Amino acid sequence: MKIAVIGLGGTGSAALRFLAQSGHNAVGYEQFHIGHEHGSSHGESRIIRYTYPDVLYTQMMSDSYKLWFDLEKEAEEELFIRCGGLYFGDKNDRDVLATEQALIASNLPYERLNAEQVKEKHPAFHLYPHEIALFQKDSGFLRATRCVEANIRLAKTYGAIVQENTKVQEVYTKDNKTFVRSNSCEEEYDRVIVTAGPWMSSLFKSLDLPLVTTRQQIVYLNINDHNEYFQANGTFPVWIDSTDNLYGFPNDGQITGIKLAYHHCGEIISDLDAERAPVDESYIEEIRGYAKKRFPNLGSDVTYSQTCVYTNTPNADFIIDRVPNQSNVFLVSGCSGHGFKFTVLLGKIISMMATDDNGYQRDLSRFKISNFL
Ligand SMILES: Cc1cc2nc3c(=O)[nH]c(=O)nc-3n(C[C@H](O)[C@H](O)[C@H](O)COP(=O)(O)OP(=O)(O)OC[C@H]3O[C@@H](n4cnc5c(N)ncnc54)[C@H](O)[C@@H]3O)c2cc1C
Protein backbone atom coordinates (compact mmCIF):
# COMPACT_ATOMS: atom_id res chain seq x y z
CA MET A 1 0.00 0.00 0.00
CA LYS A 2 1.02 3.61 -0.50
CA ILE A 3 0.87 5.20 2.95
CA ALA A 4 1.69 8.71 4.18
CA VAL A 5 2.80 9.48 7.73
CA ILE A 6 2.36 13.11 8.70
CA GLY A 7 4.58 14.32 11.54
CA LEU A 8 7.87 12.56 12.29
CA GLY A 9 8.34 12.90 16.04
CA GLY A 10 8.53 9.83 18.27
CA THR A 11 5.29 8.23 17.07
CA GLY A 12 5.44 9.09 13.37
CA SER A 13 9.08 8.08 12.97
CA ALA A 14 8.29 4.67 14.50
CA ALA A 15 5.19 4.21 12.31
CA LEU A 16 7.22 5.05 9.21
CA ARG A 17 9.87 2.49 10.14
CA PHE A 18 7.33 -0.30 10.73
CA LEU A 19 5.49 0.44 7.48
CA ALA A 20 8.65 0.49 5.39
CA GLN A 21 9.93 -2.64 7.10
CA SER A 22 6.70 -4.44 6.17
CA GLY A 23 7.24 -3.56 2.53
CA HIS A 24 4.77 -0.69 2.19
CA ASN A 25 5.45 2.31 0.03
CA ALA A 26 5.82 4.71 2.98
CA VAL A 27 6.26 8.47 2.71
CA GLY A 28 6.91 10.62 5.78
CA TYR A 29 6.22 14.35 5.96
CA GLU A 30 7.87 16.57 8.57
CA GLN A 31 7.31 20.32 8.67
CA PHE A 32 10.76 20.96 10.21
CA HIS A 33 13.98 18.92 10.09
CA ILE A 34 14.25 15.53 11.82
CA GLY A 35 15.17 15.96 15.48
CA HIS A 36 14.00 19.60 15.67
CA GLU A 37 13.13 21.21 19.01
CA HIS A 38 9.68 22.71 18.31
CA GLY A 39 7.58 19.66 19.19
CA SER A 40 7.69 17.10 22.02
CA SER A 41 10.22 14.41 21.11
CA HIS A 42 13.56 16.17 21.46
CA GLY A 43 16.23 16.08 24.13
CA GLU A 44 18.55 13.74 25.97
CA SER A 45 16.06 12.00 28.20
CA ARG A 46 12.50 10.76 28.61
CA ILE A 47 11.55 8.50 31.50
CA ILE A 48 10.60 4.93 30.63
CA ARG A 49 8.85 2.91 33.33
CA TYR A 50 6.26 0.31 34.14
CA THR A 51 5.22 2.29 37.21
CA TYR A 52 1.78 3.68 36.38
CA PRO A 53 -1.23 4.09 38.64
CA ASP A 54 -3.18 2.41 35.85
CA VAL A 55 -2.80 -1.24 34.97
CA LEU A 56 -3.52 -0.83 31.24
CA TYR A 57 -0.56 1.52 30.80
CA THR A 58 1.65 -0.77 32.90
CA GLN A 59 0.72 -3.70 30.70
CA MET A 60 1.14 -1.77 27.45
CA MET A 61 4.64 -0.94 28.64
CA SER A 62 5.51 -4.66 28.41
CA ASP A 63 4.85 -4.39 24.68
CA SER A 64 6.66 -1.09 24.41
CA TYR A 65 9.82 -2.27 26.17
CA LYS A 66 10.18 -5.12 23.68
CA LEU A 67 9.91 -2.73 20.75
CA TRP A 68 12.53 -0.38 22.24
CA PHE A 69 14.92 -3.31 22.61
CA ASP A 70 14.27 -4.23 18.97
CA LEU A 71 14.98 -0.66 17.89
CA GLU A 72 18.25 -0.58 19.84
CA LYS A 73 19.28 -3.85 18.25
CA GLU A 74 18.37 -2.79 14.73
CA ALA A 75 19.99 0.61 15.15
CA GLU A 76 23.07 -0.86 16.85
CA GLU A 77 22.96 2.05 19.26
CA GLU A 78 22.33 2.49 22.98
CA LEU A 79 19.04 4.38 23.26
CA PHE A 80 17.75 3.14 26.63
CA ILE A 81 19.68 3.69 29.87
CA ARG A 82 18.38 1.33 32.53
CA CYS A 83 19.15 2.98 35.86
CA GLY A 84 16.06 1.99 37.87
CA GLY A 85 13.29 4.30 38.99
CA LEU A 86 11.86 5.65 42.23
CA TYR A 87 8.16 6.50 42.32
CA PHE A 88 7.54 8.22 45.62
CA GLY A 89 5.23 10.45 47.61
CA ASP A 90 3.24 10.72 50.77
CA LYS A 91 2.48 7.27 52.20
CA ASN A 92 -1.23 7.88 51.54
CA ASP A 93 -0.69 9.26 48.04
CA ARG A 94 -3.41 7.71 45.88
CA ASP A 95 -1.20 7.31 42.82
CA VAL A 96 1.68 5.70 44.72
CA LEU A 97 -0.74 3.16 46.17
CA ALA A 98 -2.45 2.57 42.81
CA THR A 99 0.95 2.17 41.14
CA GLU A 100 1.89 -0.49 43.65
CA GLN A 101 -1.37 -2.31 42.91
CA ALA A 102 -0.71 -2.13 39.16
CA LEU A 103 2.78 -3.60 39.64
CA ILE A 104 1.35 -6.43 41.73
CA ALA A 105 -1.46 -7.08 39.22
CA SER A 106 1.09 -7.17 36.40
CA ASN A 107 3.42 -9.46 38.33
CA LEU A 108 6.33 -7.05 38.11
CA PRO A 109 9.12 -6.96 40.70
CA TYR A 110 9.55 -3.85 42.86
CA GLU A 111 10.75 -2.81 46.30
CA ARG A 112 8.82 -0.65 48.74
CA LEU A 113 11.28 1.60 50.57
CA ASN A 114 11.00 3.99 53.50
CA ALA A 115 12.99 7.22 53.77
CA GLU A 116 15.98 5.59 55.48
CA GLN A 117 16.17 2.74 52.99
CA VAL A 118 16.09 5.23 50.11
CA LYS A 119 18.98 7.17 51.69
CA GLU A 120 20.99 3.99 52.06
CA LYS A 121 20.54 2.88 48.44
CA HIS A 122 20.37 6.28 46.77
CA PRO A 123 22.25 8.75 48.98
CA ALA A 124 21.45 11.87 46.92
CA PHE A 125 17.76 11.64 47.85
CA HIS A 126 16.22 13.07 50.98
CA LEU A 127 12.78 11.64 51.68
CA TYR A 128 10.72 12.50 54.74
CA PRO A 129 9.48 9.93 57.28
CA HIS A 130 5.88 10.33 56.01
CA GLU A 131 6.93 9.38 52.47
CA ILE A 132 7.35 5.99 50.78
CA ALA A 133 9.03 5.00 47.53
CA LEU A 134 8.57 2.18 45.04
CA PHE A 135 11.80 1.16 43.36
CA GLN A 136 11.42 -0.61 40.02
CA LYS A 137 14.63 -1.81 38.43
CA ASP A 138 13.51 -1.69 34.77
CA SER A 139 12.92 2.05 34.75
CA GLY A 140 15.37 4.38 33.12
CA PHE A 141 15.47 6.88 30.32
CA LEU A 142 15.38 6.98 26.55
CA ARG A 143 17.59 9.29 24.52
CA ALA A 144 14.65 10.93 22.77
CA THR A 145 16.22 12.71 19.81
CA ARG A 146 18.39 9.71 19.02
CA CYS A 147 15.35 7.40 19.10
CA VAL A 148 13.63 9.54 16.47
CA GLU A 149 16.79 9.71 14.37
CA ALA A 150 17.31 5.95 14.62
CA ASN A 151 13.74 5.25 13.46
CA ILE A 152 14.15 7.57 10.49
CA ARG A 153 17.55 6.20 9.54
CA LEU A 154 16.18 2.65 9.57
CA ALA A 155 12.96 3.63 7.78
CA LYS A 156 15.05 5.06 4.95
CA THR A 157 17.13 1.89 4.84
CA TYR A 158 13.89 -0.07 4.41
CA GLY A 159 12.89 2.20 1.52
CA ALA A 160 10.80 4.96 3.10
CA ILE A 161 10.86 8.44 1.60
CA VAL A 162 11.27 11.27 4.10
CA GLN A 163 10.22 14.77 3.13
CA GLU A 164 11.63 17.22 5.66
CA ASN A 165 10.69 20.90 5.83
CA THR A 166 7.39 19.97 4.20
CA LYS A 167 4.30 21.16 5.99
CA VAL A 168 1.07 19.33 5.26
CA GLN A 169 -1.76 21.81 4.83
CA GLU A 170 -4.65 19.41 4.42
CA VAL A 171 -5.68 15.75 4.45
CA TYR A 172 -8.96 15.19 2.65
CA THR A 173 -11.06 12.44 1.17
CA LYS A 174 -13.03 12.91 -2.03
CA ASP A 175 -14.91 10.19 -3.92
CA ASN A 176 -13.35 7.64 -1.56
CA LYS A 177 -9.84 8.76 -2.48
CA THR A 178 -7.55 10.30 0.13
CA PHE A 179 -5.16 13.15 -0.60
CA VAL A 180 -2.35 14.89 1.23
CA ARG A 181 -1.75 18.50 0.23
CA SER A 182 1.54 19.97 1.39
CA ASN A 183 3.31 23.25 0.75
CA SER A 184 5.03 21.61 -2.23
CA CYS A 185 2.54 19.21 -3.84
CA GLU A 186 -0.63 17.13 -3.62
CA GLU A 187 -0.49 13.33 -3.59
CA GLU A 188 -3.06 10.53 -3.40
CA TYR A 189 -2.55 7.74 -0.82
CA ASP A 190 -4.23 4.45 0.02
CA ARG A 191 -3.91 5.27 3.72
CA VAL A 192 -2.78 8.26 5.75
CA ILE A 193 -1.49 8.25 9.33
CA VAL A 194 -1.42 11.57 11.15
CA THR A 195 0.96 11.85 14.11
CA ALA A 196 1.19 15.63 14.22
CA GLY A 197 1.52 15.96 18.01
CA PRO A 198 0.69 19.50 19.14
CA TRP A 199 -0.41 20.50 15.61
CA MET A 200 -3.05 17.77 15.36
CA SER A 201 -6.08 20.04 15.79
CA SER A 202 -5.02 22.29 12.91
CA LEU A 203 -5.35 19.34 10.51
CA PHE A 204 -8.73 18.21 11.89
CA LYS A 205 -10.53 21.44 12.75
CA SER A 206 -13.99 20.00 12.17
CA LEU A 207 -13.37 17.13 14.60
CA ASP A 208 -13.03 19.56 17.49
CA LEU A 209 -10.69 17.29 19.46
CA PRO A 210 -10.38 18.45 23.09
CA LEU A 211 -6.60 18.88 22.88
CA VAL A 212 -4.84 21.55 24.90
CA THR A 213 -1.20 22.36 24.13
CA THR A 214 0.90 23.69 27.00
CA ARG A 215 4.40 25.12 27.35
CA GLN A 216 6.55 22.91 29.56
CA GLN A 217 9.92 23.77 31.04
CA ILE A 218 12.91 21.70 32.13
CA VAL A 219 15.95 22.83 34.12
CA TYR A 220 19.37 21.26 34.77
CA LEU A 221 21.05 22.18 38.07
CA ASN A 222 24.72 21.71 38.83
CA ILE A 223 26.04 19.08 41.24
CA ASN A 224 27.78 20.73 44.18
CA ASP A 225 29.49 17.74 45.72
CA HIS A 226 29.38 13.94 45.66
CA ASN A 227 29.22 13.74 41.91
CA GLU A 228 29.14 9.95 42.30
CA TYR A 229 25.69 10.13 43.95
CA PHE A 230 24.11 11.39 40.71
CA GLN A 231 25.28 8.81 38.19
CA ALA A 232 23.06 6.57 36.05
CA ASN A 233 24.70 3.36 37.27
CA GLY A 234 21.89 2.58 39.71
CA THR A 235 23.04 5.08 42.33
CA PHE A 236 20.67 7.77 41.09
CA PRO A 237 17.50 6.39 39.48
CA VAL A 238 15.00 8.36 37.44
CA TRP A 239 12.35 9.59 39.85
CA ILE A 240 8.80 10.82 40.10
CA ASP A 241 7.50 12.69 43.12
CA SER A 242 3.83 11.89 42.80
CA THR A 243 2.69 14.19 45.59
CA ASP A 244 4.59 17.32 44.51
CA ASN A 245 4.27 16.41 40.81
CA LEU A 246 7.92 16.64 39.76
CA TYR A 247 10.26 14.23 38.04
CA GLY A 248 13.92 14.01 37.20
CA PHE A 249 16.93 12.10 35.92
CA PRO A 250 20.49 11.17 36.83
CA ASN A 251 23.33 12.86 35.02
CA ASP A 252 22.68 11.85 31.40
CA GLY A 253 26.33 11.87 30.35
CA GLN A 254 25.73 14.62 27.80
CA ILE A 255 24.71 17.73 29.72
CA THR A 256 26.36 18.92 32.93
CA GLY A 257 24.21 18.61 36.06
CA ILE A 258 20.88 16.85 36.43
CA LYS A 259 17.48 17.53 34.91
CA LEU A 260 14.36 18.29 36.96
CA ALA A 261 10.89 19.46 35.93
CA TYR A 262 7.33 19.91 37.08
CA HIS A 263 4.83 17.60 35.38
CA HIS A 264 1.79 19.83 35.88
CA CYS A 265 0.65 21.64 32.76
CA GLY A 266 2.23 24.98 31.98
CA GLU A 267 0.59 27.91 30.24
CA ILE A 268 -1.62 27.22 27.22
CA ILE A 269 0.06 27.84 23.87
CA SER A 270 -2.38 29.55 21.53
CA ASP A 271 0.02 30.02 18.60
CA LEU A 272 2.22 26.96 18.12
CA ASP A 273 4.23 28.61 15.37
CA ALA A 274 5.20 31.69 17.39
CA GLU A 275 8.65 31.81 18.96
CA ARG A 276 8.55 30.45 22.52
CA ALA A 277 9.90 32.36 25.50
CA PRO A 278 12.88 30.84 27.33
CA VAL A 279 12.39 29.18 30.73
CA ASP A 280 10.91 31.60 33.31
CA GLU A 281 13.02 32.87 36.22
CA SER A 282 10.12 32.17 38.61
CA TYR A 283 10.03 28.54 37.45
CA ILE A 284 13.77 28.19 38.01
CA GLU A 285 13.32 29.56 41.54
CA GLU A 286 10.62 26.97 42.28
CA ILE A 287 12.86 24.17 41.01
CA ARG A 288 15.75 25.45 43.12
CA GLY A 289 13.51 25.55 46.20
CA TYR A 290 12.42 21.96 45.67
CA ALA A 291 15.93 20.71 44.89
CA LYS A 292 17.37 22.30 48.01
CA LYS A 293 15.11 20.19 50.20
CA ARG A 294 15.14 17.00 48.14
CA PHE A 295 18.76 16.83 46.95
CA PRO A 296 21.08 18.49 49.48
CA ASN A 297 24.17 17.90 47.29
CA LEU A 298 22.79 19.79 44.32
CA GLY A 299 23.78 23.36 43.58
CA SER A 300 21.56 26.18 42.37
CA ASP A 301 23.34 27.03 39.11
CA VAL A 302 21.34 26.36 35.98
CA THR A 303 23.58 24.47 33.56
CA TYR A 304 20.91 24.11 30.86
CA SER A 305 17.21 24.77 30.35
CA GLN A 306 14.70 24.11 27.60
CA THR A 307 11.01 24.34 26.75
CA CYS A 308 8.81 21.70 25.14
CA VAL A 309 5.10 21.10 24.44
CA TYR A 310 2.54 18.79 26.02
CA THR A 311 -0.55 17.89 23.97
CA ASN A 312 -3.13 17.10 26.62
CA THR A 313 -6.46 15.30 26.57
CA PRO A 314 -8.85 15.97 29.49
CA ASN A 315 -8.02 12.65 31.22
CA ALA A 316 -4.44 12.22 29.89
CA ASP A 317 -5.45 9.15 27.86
CA PHE A 318 -4.05 8.89 24.34
CA ILE A 319 -6.25 9.04 21.24
CA ILE A 320 -5.59 6.17 18.82
CA ASP A 321 -8.19 5.67 16.11
CA ARG A 322 -9.49 5.80 12.58
CA VAL A 323 -10.82 9.27 11.73
CA PRO A 324 -14.63 9.51 11.52
CA ASN A 325 -15.88 9.99 7.95
CA GLN A 326 -12.39 9.45 6.51
CA SER A 327 -12.00 5.69 6.60
CA ASN A 328 -8.47 5.75 5.13
CA VAL A 329 -7.14 8.18 7.72
CA PHE A 330 -5.78 7.23 11.17
CA LEU A 331 -4.43 9.32 14.00
CA VAL A 332 -2.52 9.17 17.27
CA SER A 333 -2.65 12.13 19.56
CA GLY A 334 -2.96 13.43 23.10
CA CYS A 335 0.23 11.95 24.49
CA SER A 336 -0.38 14.26 27.48
CA GLY A 337 3.20 14.57 28.68
CA HIS A 338 3.74 10.86 29.26
CA GLY A 339 3.79 9.46 25.76
CA PHE A 340 7.40 9.15 24.72
CA LYS A 341 7.93 5.76 26.36
CA PHE A 342 4.95 4.55 24.30
CA THR A 343 5.80 6.19 20.97
CA VAL A 344 7.40 3.08 19.51
CA LEU A 345 4.31 1.06 20.47
CA LEU A 346 1.90 3.75 19.26
CA GLY A 347 3.75 3.80 15.93
CA LYS A 348 3.40 0.03 15.75
CA ILE A 349 -0.30 0.02 16.68
CA ILE A 350 -1.28 2.75 14.23
CA SER A 351 0.71 1.19 11.40
CA MET A 352 -1.10 -2.11 12.11
CA MET A 353 -4.52 -0.40 12.17
CA ALA A 354 -3.79 1.41 8.92
CA THR A 355 -2.82 -1.83 7.18
CA ASP A 356 -5.86 -3.82 8.39
CA ASP A 357 -3.79 -5.92 10.80
CA ASN A 358 -5.91 -6.70 13.88
CA GLY A 359 -3.11 -8.52 15.65
CA TYR A 360 -2.59 -6.17 18.60
CA GLN A 361 -4.05 -8.08 21.51
CA ARG A 362 -5.00 -5.40 24.04
CA ASP A 363 -8.34 -3.64 24.31
CA LEU A 364 -7.83 -0.13 22.96
CA SER A 365 -11.45 1.02 23.27
CA ARG A 366 -10.43 3.61 25.90
CA PHE A 367 -8.46 5.43 23.21
CA LYS A 368 -11.25 5.80 20.64
CA ILE A 369 -12.02 9.28 19.33
CA SER A 370 -15.68 8.91 20.34
CA ASN A 371 -14.64 8.96 24.02
CA PHE A 372 -13.30 12.46 23.57
CA LEU A 373 -16.08 14.13 21.54
C1 LIG B 1 9.29 18.61 28.79
C2 LIG B 1 8.71 17.29 28.42
C3 LIG B 1 9.07 16.18 29.15
C4 LIG B 1 8.52 14.94 28.87
N1 LIG B 1 8.93 13.86 29.58
C5 LIG B 1 8.48 12.63 29.26
C6 LIG B 1 8.98 11.50 29.92
O1 LIG B 1 9.85 11.60 30.81
N2 LIG B 1 8.51 10.28 29.55
C7 LIG B 1 7.57 10.13 28.57
O2 LIG B 1 7.18 9.00 28.29
N3 LIG B 1 7.08 11.21 27.91
C8 LIG B 1 7.51 12.44 28.23
N4 LIG B 1 7.05 13.54 27.56
C9 LIG B 1 6.00 13.38 26.55
C10 LIG B 1 6.55 12.92 25.22
O3 LIG B 1 7.76 13.55 24.93
C11 LIG B 1 5.51 13.17 24.15
O4 LIG B 1 4.30 12.58 24.56
C12 LIG B 1 5.92 12.55 22.83
O5 LIG B 1 7.21 12.99 22.47
C13 LIG B 1 4.91 12.91 21.76
O6 LIG B 1 5.38 12.45 20.52
P1 LIG B 1 4.55 12.71 19.19
O7 LIG B 1 5.24 11.97 18.12
O8 LIG B 1 3.11 12.42 19.44
O9 LIG B 1 4.61 14.29 18.97
P2 LIG B 1 5.80 15.21 18.44
O10 LIG B 1 7.09 14.74 18.94
O11 LIG B 1 5.45 16.62 18.76
O12 LIG B 1 5.79 15.00 16.89
C14 LIG B 1 4.85 15.59 16.04
C15 LIG B 1 5.57 15.95 14.77
O13 LIG B 1 4.64 16.31 13.78
C16 LIG B 1 5.18 17.36 13.02
N5 LIG B 1 4.06 18.03 12.35
C17 LIG B 1 3.00 18.60 12.95
N6 LIG B 1 2.15 19.10 12.05
C18 LIG B 1 2.68 18.84 10.83
C19 LIG B 1 2.27 19.13 9.51
N7 LIG B 1 1.13 19.78 9.26
N8 LIG B 1 3.06 18.73 8.49
C20 LIG B 1 4.23 18.06 8.73
N9 LIG B 1 4.67 17.78 9.98
C21 LIG B 1 3.90 18.16 11.02
C22 LIG B 1 5.87 18.21 14.08
O14 LIG B 1 6.78 19.11 13.54
C23 LIG B 1 6.49 17.14 14.95
O15 LIG B 1 7.79 16.80 14.50
C24 LIG B 1 7.59 14.80 27.83
C25 LIG B 1 7.23 15.92 27.07
C26 LIG B 1 7.78 17.14 27.35
C27 LIG B 1 7.37 18.31 26.53
Side-chain angles (χ1 to χ4, degrees), residues 44 56 58 63 169 208 237 247 264 271 284 301 353 362:
E44 280 304 326
L56 177 59
T58 301
D63 309 328
Q169 316 284 1
D208 211 13
Y247 63 93
H264 59 61
D271 180 1
I284 293 173
D301 294 345
M353 275 188 184
R362 300 200 193 274

Side-chain angles (χ1 to χ4, degrees), residues 6-12 29-32 36 39-41 45-48 52 166-169 195-199 203 216-218 247 249 259 308-310 332 335-343:
I6 299 167
L8 301 178
T11 310
Y29 292 84
E30 171 52 54
Q31 62 181 339
F32 302 115
H36 68 87
S40 309
S41 298
S45 54
R46 291 287 186 277
I47 292 181
I48 173 167
Y52 260 85
T166 306
K167 186 173 174 99
V168 169
Q169 316 284 1
T195 46
W199 287 266
L203 287 169
Q216 304 300 134
Q217 314 182 65
I218 60 112
Y247 63 93
F249 300 81
K259 171 172 153 185
C308 184
V309 190
Y310 279 0
V332 175
C335 284
S336 303
H338 67 109
F340 196 84
K341 65 185 81 55
F342 292 99
T343 51

Side-chain angles (χ1 to χ4, degrees), residues 87-268:
Y87 194 103
F88 61 82
D90 187 275
K91 64 177 185 300
N92 297 316
D93 184 282
R94 225 179 33 186
D95 281 352
V96 175
L97 300 176
T99 296
E100 185 169 28
Q101 289 313 310
L103 288 169
I104 292 168
S106 310
N107 221 3
L108 287 162
Y110 73 97
E111 290 170 63
R112 183 189 240 260
L113 305 173
N114 63 27
E116 274 175 28
Q117 290 166 320
V118 169
K119 188 92 206 151
E120 216 166 278
K121 281 187 71 177
H122 311 293
F125 285 79
H126 176 74
L127 264 68
Y128 296 91
H130 65 273
E131 292 178 312
I132 54 160
L134 308 174
F135 176 79
Q136 213 289 320
K137 66 181 175 57
D138 302 300
S139 302
F141 63 93
L142 294 158
R143 297 203 182 276
T145 303
R146 287 196 215 169
C147 292
V148 173
E149 289 169 348
N151 272 321
I152 294 295
R153 197 170 64 241
L154 289 164
K156 284 181 176 171
T157 311
Y158 302 137
I161 293 170
V162 174
Q163 300 194 8
E164 293 181 68
N165 302 308
T166 306
K167 186 173 174 99
V168 169
Q169 316 284 1
E170 193 183 9
V171 178
Y172 68 95
T173 302
K174 198 175 166 194
D175 301 331
N176 225 13
K177 292 179 176 169
T178 300
F179 299 87
V180 170
R181 184 170 62 80
S182 72
N183 52 6
S184 58
C185 66
E186 182 163 303
E187 205 48 51
E188 186 188 339
Y189 287 93
D190 298 316
R191 302 288 158 87
V192 176
I193 291 173
V194 186
T195 46
W199 287 266
M200 186 61 84
S201 296
S202 64
L203 287 169
F204 295 103
K205 288 197 182 93
S206 63
L207 268 185
D208 211 13
L209 295 168
L211 296 172
V212 176
T213 50
T214 54
R215 172 175 165 264
Q216 304 300 134
Q217 314 182 65
I218 60 112
V219 172
Y220 282 69
L221 293 180
N222 72 307
I223 301 166
N224 246 354
D225 54 77
H226 285 292
N227 205 38
E228 73 279 8
Y229 287 179
F230 294 91
Q231 301 309 310
N233 54 10
T235 317
F236 194 95
V238 294
W239 57 273
I240 292 176
D241 179 340
S242 172
T243 309
D244 286 341
N245 214 10
L246 285 94
Y247 63 93
F249 300 81
N251 177 265
D252 58 38
Q254 300 297 315
I255 298 175
T256 307
I258 66 157
K259 171 172 153 185
L260 308 91
Y262 276 97
H263 178 54
H264 59 61
C265 292
E267 80 211 40
I268 293 176

Side-chain angles (χ1 to χ4, degrees), residues 1 3-5 11-24 26 67 191-195 320-322 328 330-332 343-360 364:
M1 276 197 264
I3 307 178
V5 179
T11 310
S13 63
L16 192 73
R17 174 168 69 96
F18 290 122
L19 291 168
Q21 201 169 19
S22 308
H24 294 285
L67 295 173
R191 302 288 158 87
V192 176
I193 291 173
V194 186
T195 46
I320 313 169
D321 206 354
R322 188 188 288 262
N328 297 326
F330 299 78
L331 66 78
V332 175
T343 51
V344 72
L345 176 64
L346 296 173
K348 177 81 179 172
I349 292 171
I350 206 68
S351 63
M352 288 171 78
M353 275 188 184
T355 54
D356 308 321
D357 177 344
N358 299 320
Y360 188 64
L364 299 176

